[in-house]
Amino acid sequence: MTGYRQILAVPGMAPLLGVSLIARIAITADTTALTLYIVLGLGMSYAAAGGVAAALTAGLAVGGPVLGRLIDRRGARPVLLASVAAQGVFWLCVPVMPYGILLAASFATGLLMVPGPLVTRQAIAAMTAPAQRRAAFVLESVQGELSYMVGPPLVILAAAQTSPGVVAWGVGAAIVAGGAGIALLDPPLRTEDEPDPGQSGRPRRREWLGSHMVAVLVMAFGATVLLGGTDLTIVAALKDAGQVSWAALVVAVYGVASIFGGLVYGTVPRPLPTWLLIGLLGLATLPAALAHSWPWLCVAAAGAGLLAAPTLSSLAAAVSRLAPAGARGEATGLQSSALSAGFALGAPVIGAAIDASVPGTGFVVAGLAGVAAALTGWLLSRRPAAVPAWSPPGDPGRAPLEACAAGASQGT
């Protein structure tokens, strides 16, 4: 674990990851807080709550690349402060908004969500040496797992002790605090030898959004279809077995295994290509279809979970490698949009498969979605790509995604 200690010793890295975790936990819990407010506070249906959650997710998917592009042009601090102000207004007004206004405002607040993960991923690429970068992105992925394990349960527990309106205020306060903290830190988004896009000119989108970047975005979408579908199917399978009270334990086992797998992956000398990681994650998900009780689901979840954080960290590292400094914010925003779209579309698709058959079918569909994304990513990455102007020195003849895979042994 010496490598992780060295990363946390990088000036500004530990405070950035700490403050970013606060924002990320709150952002992960925002749909849970809104659901509880609509169902318990307004006395409406879960379908109505799902509409607000869908509007918020749609806003996140659309807003990611927009905010990323603004960060490329204006820097992180102005965008963070503007989004913090928007979040403060929204969450302060949640308890007094009628449903119709809340539905529209949820889409708007998704558009202007604090871009904590976007800024953090860009800062990791700028603050770490190439040999440290893979392990640093693993820490960022572990941060994501922790946020899913802590955020929603914490909100549910708080709602049992107080009113859902107060819980919404608390979530909003945490989002504002996290975003303001990152703005105060104002981490660098480019290395010293990378040009300022305001001086060198912004690279054209067609120069970097080629088949290799599209491959990464497809794999990001497939990964979250798989992960979101797995969570849904765990609940459905245990409900069918009359053991739904054990669902939280199975999900926790998955999360802990993912954290462990990510930390181990960050130390291996020769990591696997991204397409192979997501393909293995898909294959490892399939055996869960044979589990019909919570102990066996825990075993299956532990096996698949070991590959979750490595896959997500590999995707983040690939985006940072393929995007030039002047477009890294937009590229990272596209990655976030692909991840959000996967979660948003995966649940209803896999839910329909469960309704049409048996709960175990959800694991099969989720696993095959991962395998399909891996094959698509592999095929797209095999297409020749022109060597861009930002290719690393000494790497003149290598296509970007191939460089990313080969450079993984050096930490990229």
Side-chain angles (χ1 to χ4, degrees), residues 224-403:
T224 48
V225 168
L226 187 158
L227 294 173
T230 297
D231 287 347
L232 177 67
T233 310
I234 287 171
V235 176
L238 290 177
K239 181 179 179 182
D240 186 65
Q243 302 173 350
V244 71
S245 60
W246 293 98
L249 175 63
V250 177
V251 173
V253 167
Y254 196 105
V256 171
S258 176
I259 292 171
F260 178 77
L263 293 175
V264 171
Y265 177 75
T267 64
V268 298
R270 295 189 64 83
L272 298 174
T274 304
W275 65 266
L276 185 54
L277 278 170
I278 188 174
L280 291 174
L281 176 59
L283 293 175
T285 302
L286 298 177
L290 303 176
H292 300 292
S293 62
W294 70 266
W296 286 110
L297 266 182
C298 283
V299 173
L306 289 171
L307 293 161
T311 299
L312 295 174
S313 65
S314 183
L315 289 165
V319 169
S320 72
R321 173 81 184 197
L322 291 168
R328 195 171 289 144
E330 184 176 2
T332 306
L334 286 172
Q335 178 199 1
S336 295
S337 294
L339 295 171
S340 297
F343 275 122
L345 297 179
V349 169
I350 292 176
I354 293 172
D355 290 339
S357 183
V358 295
T361 305
F363 291 119
V364 175
V365 175
L368 292 179
V371 172
L375 290 174
T376 303
W378 176 72
L379 290 172
L380 287 172
S381 67
R382 286 174 59 84
R383 296 181 61 182
V387 179
W390 59 92
S391 288
D395 211 17
R398 185 179 294 170
L401 196 56
E402 293 170 351

Side-chain angles (χ1 to χ4, degrees), residues 7 24 86 113 121 172 189 194 215 296 307 362 406:
I7 291 167
R24 199 160 184 173
M113 181 56 68
R121 291 176 191 137
L189 304 184
E194 287 178 328
W296 286 110
L307 293 161

